[in-house]
Amino acid sequence: KNEVEQSPQNLTAQEGEFITINCSYSVGISALHWLQQHPGGGIVSLFMLSSGKKKHGRLIATINIQEKHSSLHITASHPRDSAVYICAAPNSGNTPLVFGKGTRLSVIA
Amino acid sequence: DGGITQSPKYLFRKEGQNVTLSCEQNLNHDAMYWYRQDPGQGLRLIYYSQIVNDFQKGDIAEGYSVSREKKESFPLTVTSAQKNPTAFYLCASRRDTEAFFGQGTRLTVV
């Protein structure tokens, strides 16, 4: 079974700071997902990564398949970025996604 | 546009009542999943289905039931046997690397 670990668990940043959230997994995968969950809100899919890097606005996600590691970066962080960020990886095929426990980000103005 | 629809977003029920959470997808995905999230914890797998008329228990299936009569639909019933039903419930679907997620249903049992 894939073990998905995220770090840090909690992160507090000042507005404008560059933020990095890390995700590592134990079993080789075909793709990894990054999700965002605002307090009391639903889940929003941010990225699906098979290799390399993807960028959407101030969010950048990278993945190193050989090292079984992915990072989510937020540039010029803003209080509205405050949320829980979750990574998820499958075992194989259509087997269930395994989710990390999430990183709770608070960005202070 | 294709996607997953979970309804309702918020649900309140009295203790001892069964409640069914809806999950519909129009993505033609074979696999569908239900997860539960408790405050401060990660998402845990309740049930999943990889094909119509077939489903498997996940890590925390006790007190829940599902059906998969149609490819598009995978409803979850929270039964009165579930000791602590108050939680956030997430439905997802997959085909190979592509995965979509519902908005979630926040169930509160009073």
Side-chain angles (χ1 to χ4, degrees):
Chain A
K1 184 178 176 180
N2 215 343
E3 302 288 335
V4 178
E5 300 285 339
Q6 281 186 244
S7 64
Q9 271 190 298
N10 296 285
L11 183 56
T12 300
Q14 293 291 324
E15 184 174 357
E17 282 187 19
F18 180 83
I19 288 161
T20 296
I21 299 170
N22 296 299
C23 177
S24 60
Y25 49 93
S26 58
V27 176
I29 58 169
S30 51
L32 180 137
H33 300 264
W34 280 102
L35 311 172
Q36 180 192 57
Q37 184 177 32
H38 282 284
I43 297 276
V44 174
S45 181
L46 297 175
F47 294 104
M48 184 197 75
L49 281 170
S50 299
S51 63
K53 180 167 80 174
K54 282 191 176 180
K55 184 175 189 288
H56 182 103
R58 294 180 296 104
L59 300 177
I60 303 166
T62 64
I63 190 167
N64 185 318
I65 296 292
Q66 287 73 30
E67 294 187 4
K68 298 186 178 65
H69 181 269
S70 177
S71 293
L72 177 68
H73 306 286
I74 305 175
T75 62
S77 59
H78 190 277
R80 64 175 174 266
D81 297 324
S82 298
V84 175
Y85 292 85
I86 303 167
C87 67
N91 288 317
S92 62
N94 279 339
T95 56
L97 289 168
V98 178
F99 290 82
K101 290 188 175 172
T103 294
R104 185 173 300 274
L105 171 65
S106 297
V107 181
I108 300 168
Chain B
D1 285 339
I4 291 188
T5 302
Q6 275 188 252
S7 60
K9 190 172 180 181
Y10 298 97
L11 188 55
F12 295 87
R13 275 295 180 270
K14 289 186 179 179
E15 194 172 341
Q17 288 182 335
N18 290 357
V19 60
T20 297
L21 280 56
S22 168
C23 179
E24 304 276 332
Q25 53 101 358
N26 60 0
L27 301 157
N28 201 33
H29 285 176
D30 288 314
M32 296 185 74
Y33 312 87
W34 275 106
Y35 294 88
R36 168 182 171 141
Q37 184 187 48
D38 293 286
Q41 296 194 31
L43 288 150
R44 294 180 291 166
L45 182 66
I46 304 172
Y47 266 100
Y48 65 103
S49 167
Q50 293 184 305
I51 197 167
V52 174
N53 292 323
D54 188 42
F55 46 83
Q56 286 79 40
K57 292 182 180 180
D59 301 318
I60 54 166
E62 187 175 348
Y64 299 97
S65 66
V66 292
S67 63
R68 188 84 187 277
E69 296 175 4
K70 298 186 299 182
K71 193 174 191 176
E72 301 80 17
S73 178
F74 190 40
L76 173 75
T77 296
V78 184
T79 75
S80 56
Q82 168 51 234
K83 297 279 187 277
N84 298 296
T86 294
F88 176 80
Y89 292 88
L90 179 70
C91 179
S93 71
R94 278 186 66 205
R95 176 192 279 178
D96 298 324
T97 59
E98 180 182 76
F100 278 75
F101 304 90
Q103 277 285 298
T105 293
R106 199 164 293 277
L107 173 65
T108 302
V109 175
V110 296

